[in-house]
Amino acid sequence: MGQAASGGSGETRTARVESGDAELLDRLHAFTGHGTVHSVFTRVVNLLTPQGTLIALAARDAGDAPRTLVVDVADWTDLELVPGQRVTFATGNLCVELPHRTVRLTTADARRWRARPPSLAHLAPGTLAAAADHLDRLNRTYGPRGGMLGATPYAGPMETAVARALDEGRTTLIAAVRDGGDAAIRRGILALLGLGPGLTPAGDDFLTGVAVLAALPGSALTGFGPALKAVLAEHPGRTTDLSHATLTEAADARVRHELIDVLRQLAHGRHPQELNAPARELLAIGHTSGSDTLSGLIAGLHLEEELRGSL
């Protein structure tokens, strides 16, 4: 984990932040005082800043994402972190205070990563639909069941019901975006928001894939972003804290690097086959999260193609 030193209250370990969301690194200077550990997982620890903003500390192979600092650690399993532990935020570093040690994270040499994908507005007619069709084939071939792709084999009644509700929610949302009315889009978003198990439910991951397209310059999905922000503000407890934060960032076109890589390849206008590698990386996220996000991106690309043709 880096350097260790003895102190009056126990051992102090220093770990280097390898990279971080550039906007978060800029904002860290304003986050002074005491926050807390929000939740702990093998590769990611979520923190609440003194101002109540949810941010993440990711292990070195977890990848760049909005509101995330990637730390030079293999995982977080040996630190005995638990929710509620105090975190001290100071200029250039964070200190997690454990019973017998302090873990100090320094951001001085962190690489600044920017969470914004390129515009797709310059792409020729037909490009988006062709890419969507190719990504859909990849998703159906390699994506796991249990989310937007439908229930797993031998699913029980609850999983089957959730899968049916996800499919109905997708249909409702797509019809609403085609219609373009704010009230209809909000109903479509609510049909998916918080639906499904996990830290980022399948319905939310689908919304993330649509939201990032809607937030890009020149998008035809003009009503989606404002409707999503309004729904998130009006229904803060409808989904998990992590998912709420993810959707908030996606509404401003700020998403994980795997999704950005797919969009970057698409923006270059290359052959759809060149989407294979970044799409497979996206599919590897979580249990079904990557597949569910890709499902939303596919739906959004088809809608972009369709709505651009009617403008």
Side-chain angles (χ1 to χ4, degrees):
M1 170 167 287
Q3 300 175 348
S6 297
S9 59
E11 181 183 65
T12 297
R13 293 190 179 186
T14 300
R16 181 174 62 90
V17 175
E18 293 185 335
S19 63
D21 173 10
E23 293 189 21
L24 173 59
L25 289 170
D26 289 339
R27 294 175 66 194
L28 277 178
H29 295 287
F31 294 155
T32 57
H34 298 300
T36 59
V37 175
H38 174 275
S39 48
V40 181
F41 306 95
T42 301
R43 298 168 64 203
V44 176
V45 174
N46 295 308
L47 309 177
L48 286 172
T49 71
Q51 291 74 22
T53 300
L54 187 70
I55 68 171
L57 306 177
R60 68 174 72 98
D61 65 342
D64 290 302
R67 300 196 198 181
T68 298
L69 304 176
V70 179
V71 185
D72 186 20
V73 299
D75 57 52
W76 302 99
T77 54
D78 69 336
L79 294 182
E80 301 177 353
L81 293 167
V82 296
Q85 286 170 323
R86 190 166 76 162
V87 182
T88 300
F89 288 74
T91 302
N93 66 77
L94 300 82
C95 290
V96 184
E97 301 170 17
L98 306 173
H100 305 294
R101 73 177 76 169
T102 297
V103 179
R104 181 176 180 272
L105 307 179
T106 176
T107 63
D109 299 318
R111 174 180 60 85
R112 296 170 64 83
W113 173 79
R114 300 200 176 273
R116 295 188 182 277
S119 171
L120 305 180
H122 62 285
L123 294 176
T127 304
L128 299 182
D133 288 341
H134 184 74
L135 290 171
D136 188 52
R137 287 191 292 272
L138 289 174
N139 198 11
R140 293 184 184 281
T141 300
Y142 301 108
R145 311 287 287 188
M148 299 303 303
L149 291 181
T152 57
Y154 313 111
M158 181 62 72
E159 183 184 341
T160 301
V162 170
R164 186 181 302 113
L166 286 169
D167 188 54
E168 292 172 354
R170 168 171 41 203
T171 300
T172 299
L173 179 68
I174 290 172
V177 175
R178 283 182 177 136
D179 177 77
D182 180 69
I185 295 175
R186 292 193 191 199
R187 287 194 297 271
I189 291 169
L190 281 169
L192 287 168
L193 185 63
L195 183 59
L199 296 171
T200 56
D204 295 7
D205 292 324
F206 183 90
L207 292 171
T208 295
V210 179
V212 64
L213 285 176
L216 294 180
S219 172
L221 311 180
T222 53
F224 186 84
L228 177 59
K229 290 181 179 181
V231 169
L232 291 173
E234 293 165 5
H235 303 272
R238 183 69 173 256
T239 190
T240 65
D241 291 342
L242 178 58
S243 199
H244 192 284
T246 300
L247 284 166
T248 299
E249 297 297 328
D252 287 326
R254 286 171 37 82
V255 289
R256 291 185 59 89
H257 80 92
E258 294 92 343
L259 184 49
I260 291 176
D261 288 347
V262 173
L263 292 167
R264 185 175 291 123
Q265 286 287 79
L266 181 54
H268 289 160
R270 295 171 178 162
H271 193 277
Q273 291 290 336
E274 296 194 40
L275 295 170
N276 290 9
R280 292 292 295 273
E281 289 189 9
L282 178 60
L283 288 172
I285 297 174
H287 178 52
T288 69
S289 284
S291 172
D292 299 331
T293 303
L294 188 56
S295 293
L297 181 65
I298 291 163
L301 288 170
H302 279 302
L303 285 166
E304 280 281 358
E305 186 79 63
E306 180 181 335
L307 294 176
R308 285 185 190 184
S310 66
L311 293 179

